[in-house]
């Protein structure tokens, strides 16, 4: 009998979780701008996955006879100073930008989320030590901190992701800490303590899952910021080394020719703007969809 009760409860929670997801999707569908952002992101993801089939040329193929070709049917976005097809480089560049954004935010969410959960759950001295470290990191501008890390570690894709991720840790630590403080004394947490669950089990199984809504929203917005930060680092020469096609590096390499060959800076810039726009509007839509006040 007791086993059947537990099974019934699991089914009940499963149905409740599905209904909540359905409610979030229903509210998200009402936000047309968020749906546009979602469609753009799906297109970007597909473009990154199938770049080998979409791009008409390899991103590093040089043809010095076709340098500075204006946009045409043969070269949709024109060619650069080495005769490389700009459209192909932007398509392949979507892989780099999305990879940097997702992995960097993943690093920040995992490390910052864990530190914030520990600080909020234990409070006292542990909270003070962790949050004072986060305050020190927050006192340094994110771009400046990322520049310092890349300058110390060297230029590479991995170092770029680490730099952007580490510079974003304090934001997620503070968000998770605030959520944990409001959750840790609720009845389901007290019940877990009463049956002898360890602190780590309570944090990972009961506390953190209930803090995911604000983290998901911040992560969605953070990916756009991470892509912009990575582009900024590449623009000043501290990002990914050429000839790897990264949108910020493409902007940096073409700024010398901006007056005579504007298209060389125009298309990478548009790619960055559209990507960040998509993440921002989707993040805003998710924030409204996950807001408990909007639940019926």
């Amino acid at each position: 009998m007791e086993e059947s009760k537990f099974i019934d409860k699991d089914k009940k929670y499963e149905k409740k979780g599905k209904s909540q997801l359905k409610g979030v999707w229903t509210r998200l569908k009402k936000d047309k701008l968020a749906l546009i952002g979602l469609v753009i992101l799906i297109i970007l993801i597909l473009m990154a996955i199938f770049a080998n089939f979409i791009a008409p040329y390899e991103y590093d193929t040089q043809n010095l006879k076709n340098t500075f070709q204006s946009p045409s049917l043969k070269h949709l976005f024109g060619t650069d100073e080495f005769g490389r097809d700009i459209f192909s480089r932007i398509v392949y560049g979507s892989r780099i930008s999305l990879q940097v954004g997702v992995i960097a935010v993943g690093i920040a969410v995992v490390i910052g989320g864990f530190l914030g959960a520990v600080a909020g759950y234990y409070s006292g001295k542990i909270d003070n030590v962790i949050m004072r470290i986060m305050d020190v990191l927050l006192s340094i501008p994110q771009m400046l901190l990322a520049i310092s890390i890349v300058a110390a570690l060297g230029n590479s894709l991995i170092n770029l992701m680490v730099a952007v991720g580490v510079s974003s840790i304090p934001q997620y630590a503070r968000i998770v800490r605030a959520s944990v403080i409001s959750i840790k004394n609720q009845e389901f947490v007290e019940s877990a303590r009463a049956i002898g669950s360890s602190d780590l089990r309570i944090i990972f199984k009961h506390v953190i899952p209930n803090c995911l809504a604000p983290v998901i929203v911040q992560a969605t917005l953070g990916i756009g910021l991470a892509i912009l930060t990575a582009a900024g680092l590449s623009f000043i020469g501290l990002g990914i080394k050429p000839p790897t096609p990264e949108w910020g590096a493409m902007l940096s390499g073409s700024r010398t020719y901006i007056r005579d060959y504007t298209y060389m800076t125009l298309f990478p810039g548009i790619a960055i703007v559209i990507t960040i726009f998509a993440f921002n509007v989707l993040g805003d839509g998710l924030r409204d969809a996950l807001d408990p006040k909007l639940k019926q």
Side-chain angles (χ1 to χ4, degrees):
M1 292 292 293
E2 292 183 358
E3 185 177 352
S4 63
K5 288 181 180 179
F6 284 122
I7 293 174
D8 291 339
K9 285 184 178 180
D10 289 339
K11 290 181 178 179
K12 182 179 179 181
Y13 289 137
E14 186 178 352
K15 289 180 180 178
K16 184 178 179 181
K18 289 181 179 179
S19 64
Q20 288 177 342
L21 288 175
K22 186 177 180 181
V24 170
W25 173 243
T26 301
R27 287 189 292 274
L28 185 63
K29 287 194 298 183
K30 296 178 181 178
D31 191 335
K32 303 302 181 184
L33 202 57
L35 284 182
I36 292 174
L38 180 61
V39 170
I40 292 173
L41 290 182
I42 291 173
I43 293 173
L44 286 171
I45 292 170
L46 292 175
M47 186 169 68
I49 294 173
F50 299 106
N52 294 339
F53 302 98
I54 297 174
Y57 306 92
E58 291 295 327
Y59 67 85
D60 56 352
T61 299
Q62 298 184 16
N63 186 349
L64 297 180
K65 294 181 180 180
N66 290 327
T67 57
F68 302 114
Q69 294 291 314
S70 300
S72 63
L73 292 177
K74 186 177 180 180
H75 299 284
L76 294 179
F77 292 169
T79 60
D80 61 11
E81 69 274 23
F82 297 107
R84 297 173 299 191
D85 184 67
I86 294 176
F87 174 74
S88 299
R89 290 179 60 78
I90 288 177
V91 170
Y92 278 101
S94 63
R95 286 182 174 180
I96 305 298
S97 295
L98 291 177
Q99 183 180 350
V100 170
V102 172
I103 294 179
V105 169
I107 293 171
V109 168
V110 171
I111 299 176
F114 177 74
L115 293 175
V118 171
Y121 185 81
Y122 288 106
S123 300
K125 293 183 179 179
I126 295 178
D127 181 24
N128 285 331
V129 171
I130 292 176
M131 296 318 297
R132 294 301 75 77
I133 294 174
M134 295 300 105
D135 288 341
V136 171
L137 292 177
L138 279 173
S139 67
I140 306 172
Q142 184 174 353
M143 178 62 80
L144 182 59
L145 180 59
I147 289 173
S148 302
I149 295 172
V150 172
L153 298 179
N155 294 23
S156 72
L157 177 60
I158 294 176
N159 292 342
L160 180 63
M161 293 186 292
V162 170
V164 177
V166 170
S167 64
S168 304
I169 285 176
Q171 303 170 15
Y172 297 93
R174 294 177 75 89
I175 290 172
V176 174
R177 174 182 176 272
S179 299
V180 170
I181 290 175
S182 65
I183 289 172
K184 67 177 182 178
N185 292 322
Q186 293 189 13
E187 292 180 358
F188 66 92
V189 177
E190 296 293 341
S191 300
R193 289 198 192 101
I195 62 175
S197 296
S198 64
D199 288 342
L200 283 177
R201 180 178 176 82
I202 293 173
I203 289 173
F204 283 106
K205 184 162 183 158
H206 300 287
V207 176
I208 290 181
N210 286 279
C211 304
L212 289 180
V215 173
I216 290 172
V217 173
Q218 182 60 36
T220 306
L221 296 170
I223 291 175
L225 180 60
I227 291 173
L228 183 61
T229 303
L233 290 172
S234 296
F235 186 81
I236 61 176
L238 291 175
I240 300 169
K241 296 180 180 179
T244 305
E246 200 278 330
W247 294 337
M250 291 175 67
L251 279 174
S252 178
S254 59
R255 59 183 170 175
T256 306
Y257 313 101
I258 190 171
R259 289 187 177 180
D260 298 321
Y261 309 103
T262 308
Y263 63 88
M264 289 178 61
T265 56
L266 178 64
F267 294 114
I270 290 176
I272 294 172
V273 170
I274 290 177
T275 303
I276 295 173
F277 166 80
F279 277 109
N280 285 346
V281 296
L282 180 59
D284 288 339
L286 283 174
R287 180 186 57 199
D288 296 337
L290 292 169
D291 190 346
K293 296 178 182 178
L294 298 178
K295 293 182 180 180
Q296 296 179 354

